[in-house]
Amino acid sequence: MGHDGLVQSIIAYVDSRRQPKLEAFDKDTEKKLAGLSDALEIAAVRQRAAEQRRELEQRYEVRNWLTDAAKKSWQIKFATHAPKYSHGDSKSCGILSKSVCLENQNYMSSVCINNPVVDAIGNAAVFDVVKLLLQKIDGMALIDFLEKDDSSVFRAFSNDEDLVHEWMSCFKNMLRNDELKSHFLSKQLYFPIGDNQYHLLSPLFSSSLAQALHQRLAQARFSEQAKAISAAVRAGKWHAETRVMYPNLAVQSMGGTKPQNISYLNSTRGGRNWLLNCAAPQWLTQSKPPLKHTSIFYRSSEFSAIARDAVRQLRAYLLSVQPRDSTMEIRQRRAAGVDEVIDMLFSYAAGLQNLEAQAGWSAEAECRLKRSQQLWLDPLRGRVDPDFRAEREAGDWQREIALDFGVWLNRQLEHEQMLFSEVERREWSTAPLFKQRLREFEAEWAEAAL
């Protein structure tokens, strides 16, 4: 099996650990020398520093570094299911489970993953060893050689069989949990197996599953391809690849300011664990054409039900300020309440206008809706009915729609202590937002007809 790439990566990794140490040592030495003036003392400090630097360099020779790493490795265990995700002070052991991926799973779990990423738990100060063993080169990592009991990579750094055996033995211990134990801070479930008989189950968080989800979400959100697709969407341009989105994500923070105390992979994720939205779907009523009524503006219509709360709040506000003189603040708040109702009206209208599957519904014999509202709410009929389209484009129906809305809102707001006249009706019908929405909607339909 070829392993030249891994050998070179080990050399490069140890060198990347050595260089910062040497640079920090040299800087510290320069500071010490800068404060000295006596030549003998300077010479002594230089000699001492040179000896210490040689010791530091020797410590970071690959063979010596591997020996030191092997001696420290007992503080780390590899795992796919880590205990501290359930509780940061849990002293239970982790589980390393690399099960074969099973097909046709009804539930998403760790057995759904091909080649799960292995995590590590234990002393975070030794995670530099973990990083070396887990980093992949050409699809292979040192941990894969350990699992196969293949020492060929280590033989590139020593001909001493005893030393190579020591390295393999120490590092392979990271793959084994000889003592399985739980802890009182771990989650526990009593699972019944008979009369007054139970199995005590201790479910563990699958860090490998969380990592697989993290990688997929990161690919969909932050990869170069995802950025290119998002840029095309913002520019209104076409892109050949499919845009993948995960809406309504939540983030669960693990470990607070010290995510490395939970696990190695948790540290690489910055403690962030993304949660998919599992909320029950919300029931959305499908809009149906108002065939059996002469108008959408009546007290028990579908639109009246949609706008009921907004109208009730507006009526309550108008009653509360009725004894007061009109002020700018009152007029602005009243206008804001009317605008909210207008937005609901045009949202409802848009749902009817976009009924592709029932285009031309206003031409059905059972339709009793007044002509102006047919022209407004069924623009798709114009594709097959030229006379209808011409009548619609003339726009005379818009004035009647505004009148009907004003009359409807007057009646909805009426109260025994508050009556409305033609003055208020005219104000609702000519509201700037109402006219603006009509123009916007008609501009969109005119463009769609091209």
Side-chain angles (χ1 to χ4, degrees):
M1 182 182 297
H3 51 69
D4 291 344
L6 272 176
V7 170
Q8 295 303 317
S9 73
I10 293 174
I11 296 173
Y13 180 76
V14 175
D15 184 64
S16 71
R17 306 289 299 177
R18 175 176 56 242
Q19 283 305 118
K21 297 290 185 180
L22 292 177
E23 291 172 4
F25 180 84
D26 292 341
K27 184 180 290 186
D28 186 57
T29 301
E30 290 299 322
K31 287 182 179 179
K32 290 179 180 178
L33 293 172
L36 301 176
S37 57
D38 184 78
L40 293 176
E41 193 173 357
I42 290 175
V45 169
R46 287 187 184 278
Q47 182 179 358
R48 209 164 40 245
E51 292 173 356
Q52 292 172 348
R53 198 178 196 280
R54 280 194 298 272
E55 291 176 3
L56 187 59
E57 288 176 336
Q58 289 175 358
R59 191 188 313 161
Y60 280 91
E61 288 180 0
V62 176
R63 174 172 167 156
N64 295 333
W65 191 91
L66 286 173
T67 300
D68 183 57
K71 291 177 180 179
K72 297 187 297 184
S73 63
W74 65 270
Q75 303 174 68
I76 296 293
K77 292 294 182 183
F78 285 120
T80 52
H81 298 70
K84 289 184 180 292
Y85 286 94
S86 299
H87 196 288
D89 287 332
S90 174
K91 301 298 188 295
S92 64
C93 67
I95 299 296
L96 178 60
S97 175
K98 301 187 74 173
S99 305
V100 177
C101 179
L102 302 177
E103 297 181 356
N104 301 322
Q105 289 294 306
N106 293 325
Y107 300 98
M108 183 179 178
S109 67
S110 55
V111 297
C112 299
I113 310 173
N114 275 318
N115 300 317
V117 179
V118 176
D119 201 353
I121 56 177
N123 186 357
V126 195
F127 278 172
D128 57 338
V129 180
V130 175
K131 185 175 181 180
L132 174 67
L133 297 179
L134 292 182
Q135 67 177 355
K136 286 185 177 289
I137 302 296
D138 298 329
M140 292 295 292
L142 268 176
I143 189 175
D144 299 321
F145 285 81
L146 294 173
E147 290 176 334
K148 298 176 186 297
D149 203 21
D150 184 347
S151 60
S152 57
V153 175
F154 293 118
R155 294 181 191 280
F157 301 105
S158 177
N159 294 322
D160 186 340
E161 287 296 324
D162 291 337
L163 183 59
V164 171
H165 177 75
E166 180 185 345
W167 291 344
M168 287 290 292
S169 178
C170 291
F171 289 136
K172 284 176 66 176
N173 280 333
M174 300 169 69
L175 296 167
R176 291 193 293 266
N177 256 327
D178 298 326
E179 183 185 1
L180 296 178
K181 62 178 182 178
S182 186
H183 190 260
F184 71 91
L185 291 176
S186 297
K187 292 183 178 179
Q188 296 179 349
L189 297 173
Y190 284 90
F191 189 85
I193 58 173
D195 292 339
N196 296 322
Q197 293 181 316
Y198 300 88
H199 277 317
L200 186 58
L201 306 181
S202 181
L204 292 176
F205 182 94
S206 176
S207 184
S208 296
L209 181 60
Q211 183 69 9
L213 180 62
H214 177 87
Q215 290 172 342
R216 181 168 295 188
L217 290 173
Q219 175 71 20
R221 301 180 71 188
F222 309 121
S223 67
E224 292 302 320
Q225 177 178 304
K227 292 177 182 177
I229 294 174
S230 297
V233 171
R234 288 194 298 270
K237 297 180 179 179
W238 177 83
H239 197 281
E241 301 298 329
T242 302
R243 188 184 191 192
V244 179
M245 301 177 67
Y246 295 87
N248 301 322
L249 289 174
V251 177
Q252 183 180 27
S253 179
M254 299 288 195
T257 59
K258 296 182 179 180
Q260 68 274 13
N261 289 346
I262 304 298
S263 78
Y264 171 73
L265 287 181
N266 189 63
S267 179
T268 64
R269 296 191 294 263
R272 292 186 301 275
N273 180 39
W274 280 331
L275 304 177
L276 297 174
N277 180 24
C278 296
Q282 293 183 342
W283 177 264
L284 299 177
T285 303
Q286 184 177 5
S287 295
K288 296 181 180 179
L291 301 175
K292 298 181 180 180
H293 304 286
T294 58
S295 173
I296 63 170
F297 297 111
Y298 66 97
R299 187 171 295 277
S300 58
S301 68
E302 183 179 4
F303 166 62
S304 296
I306 293 172
R308 183 174 293 117
D309 287 342
V311 170
R312 185 183 296 120
Q313 291 176 15
L314 177 59
R315 185 195 306 120
Y317 174 72
L318 294 178
L319 282 170
S320 68
V321 298
Q322 187 181 22
R324 295 163 50 186
D325 294 334
S326 178
T327 64
M328 179 64 72
E329 179 187 358
I330 292 175
R331 291 193 294 272
Q332 287 177 343
R333 289 193 59 179
R334 181 179 64 187
V338 175
D339 286 351
E340 184 179 1
V341 177
I342 291 172
D343 277 333
M344 291 178 173
L345 170 63
F346 280 90
S347 177
Y348 170 72
L352 296 176
Q353 289 175 334
N354 287 284
L355 291 175
E356 290 274 358
Q358 303 183 57
W361 53 265
S362 61
E364 296 180 13
E366 61 178 317
C367 181
R368 299 172 54 198
L369 199 64
K370 63 193 307 185
R371 188 65 172 179
S372 60
Q373 294 184 24
Q374 291 181 24
L375 294 166
W376 180 35
L377 300 175
D378 190 18
L380 294 174
R381 177 178 168 182
R383 294 178 179 176
V384 295
D385 188 339
D387 294 336
F388 185 89
R389 182 172 65 250
E391 187 178 354
R392 191 178 194 285
E393 291 174 350
D396 296 336
W397 52 270
Q398 297 183 19
R399 181 178 301 175
E400 187 173 348
I401 294 295
L403 172 63
D404 288 345
F405 171 70
V407 172
W408 171 85
L409 186 54
N410 259 4
R411 291 174 178 171
Q412 294 293 309
L413 292 174
E414 280 180 356
H415 188 271
E416 59 184 11
Q417 301 177 17
M418 184 171 60
L419 299 176
F420 295 91
S421 65
E422 177 63 15
V423 175
E424 287 80 13
R425 196 282 307 163
R426 189 180 300 112
E427 183 176 348
W428 316 143
S429 299
T430 60
L433 184 65
F434 191 93
K435 294 188 288 186
Q436 177 188 338
R437 289 286 183 267
L438 270 179
R439 287 195 301 270
E440 291 172 349
F441 272 57
E442 293 314 297
E444 288 181 10
W445 282 111
E447 185 177 339
L450 295 177

